[in-house]
């Protein structure tokens, strides 16, 4: 297990059907987060759901009006949802033009990016989002990183944890101003960050 991203992608390819079944029902507060994100966008906005998984959040976003491009490294995950705007992509090197998006939505996906690569992913978000564009980012709160075993399949996934201060500094380096940070708890603790591209 030398490449955390490659192993995690392979795990999601393996567990895609089960993962979609477990996560298809929106968690409490998701609709409010989607509404807040959508209300900050211009009419006919173009956004990317980065690390979209089976497409639950992308579908919710589309219902609010934005055109949503689904990006995920796992092909099996992309095949679970609407394929019309689905692209296999690594968030550390997005296949999108600079300044092409009004917003990026990234729900519980950057937690699989090694901490050393987090600046690359955030720099890509900053590159593709237009000035004054919006970012929604939910990451695992805590310290450190490492392998965790999926309780259903026994497969391994890499998890990286963040703290508010260090994450805010990384976002500033990528050109974002943090507007709001909230916390949520489920099977793990989450930081939910809303930011704008300066």
């Amino acid at each position: 297990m030398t490449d955390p991203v490659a192993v995690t992608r392979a795990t999601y390819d393996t567990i895609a059907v089960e993962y979609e079944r477990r996560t298809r029902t929106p968690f409490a507060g998701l609709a409010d987060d989607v509404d807040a994100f959508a209300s900050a966008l211009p009419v006919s906005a173009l956004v990317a759901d980065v690390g979209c998984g089976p497409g639950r959040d992308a579908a919710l976003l589309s219902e609010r009006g934005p055109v949503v491009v689904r990006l995920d490294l796992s092909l099996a995950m992309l095949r679970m949802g609407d394929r019309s705007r689905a692209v296999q992509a690594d968030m550390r090197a997005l296949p999108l033009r600079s300044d092409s998006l009004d917003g990026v939505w990234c729900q519980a996906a950057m937690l699989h990016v090694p901490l050393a690569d987090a600046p690359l992913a955030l720099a890509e978000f900053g590159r593709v989002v237009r000035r004054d564009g919006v970012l929604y980012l939910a990451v695992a709160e805590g310290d450190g990183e490492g392998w965790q075993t999926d309780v259903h399949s026994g497969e391994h996934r890499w998890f990286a944890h963040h703290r508010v201060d260090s994450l805010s500094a990384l976002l500033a380096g990528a050109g974002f101003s943090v507007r709001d940070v909230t916390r949520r708890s489920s099977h793990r603790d989450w930081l939910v960050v809303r930011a704008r591209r300066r």
Side-chain angles (χ1 to χ4, degrees):
M1 292 186 286
T2 56
D3 182 348
V5 173
V7 173
T8 301
R9 178 205 51 77
T11 292
Y12 276 113
D13 282 343
T14 300
I15 69 172
V17 173
E18 173 62 20
Y19 184 87
E20 189 280 331
R21 186 192 64 75
R22 292 187 339 235
T23 62
R24 70 173 60 136
T25 301
F27 56 82
L30 179 58
D32 292 338
D33 288 349
V34 170
D35 287 341
F37 180 80
S39 69
L41 296 168
V43 175
S44 302
L46 177 63
V47 302
D49 182 355
V50 179
C52 63
R56 177 198 64 198
D57 294 11
L60 292 172
L61 287 164
S62 294
E63 290 171 4
R64 272 74 171 177
V67 174
V68 182
V69 178
R70 294 177 57 231
L71 302 172
D72 202 286
L73 195 55
S74 166
L75 279 175
M77 286 290 189
L78 290 172
R79 291 177 177 141
M80 299 300 296
D82 178 8
R83 300 185 197 182
S84 61
R85 292 186 183 91
V87 180
Q88 185 180 30
D90 187 323
M91 70 177 70
R92 299 168 297 178
L94 296 172
L96 299 167
R97 292 190 315 273
S98 297
D99 304 315
S100 61
L101 300 176
D102 297 296
V104 164
W105 176 276
C106 186
Q107 173 80 256
M110 204 177 87
L111 79 167
H112 297 307
V113 173
L115 292 174
D117 290 347
L120 293 174
L122 294 176
E124 280 293 275
F125 295 173
R127 180 184 66 79
V128 300
V129 172
R130 299 181 181 111
R131 184 176 179 180
D132 207 36
V134 295
L135 171 67
Y136 171 96
L137 178 66
V139 298
E141 183 177 23
D143 300 301
E145 60 187 330
W147 296 106
Q148 293 182 22
T149 303
D150 183 80
V151 296
H152 299 276
S153 69
E155 301 289 336
H156 299 289
R157 292 182 291 169
W158 186 262
F159 286 86
H161 302 85
H162 296 269
R163 292 292 183 185
V164 171
D165 290 345
S166 56
L167 182 60
S168 296
L170 291 176
L171 284 163
F176 289 98
S177 295
V178 174
R179 300 298 174 93
D180 181 61
V181 178
T182 57
R183 287 179 166 84
R184 183 168 58 231
S185 291
S186 57
H187 58 292
R188 67 182 74 246
D189 294 327
W190 301 96
L191 290 173
V192 179
V193 180
R194 295 166 184 84
R196 277 198 181 270
R197 180 76 167 86
R198 296 194 302 265

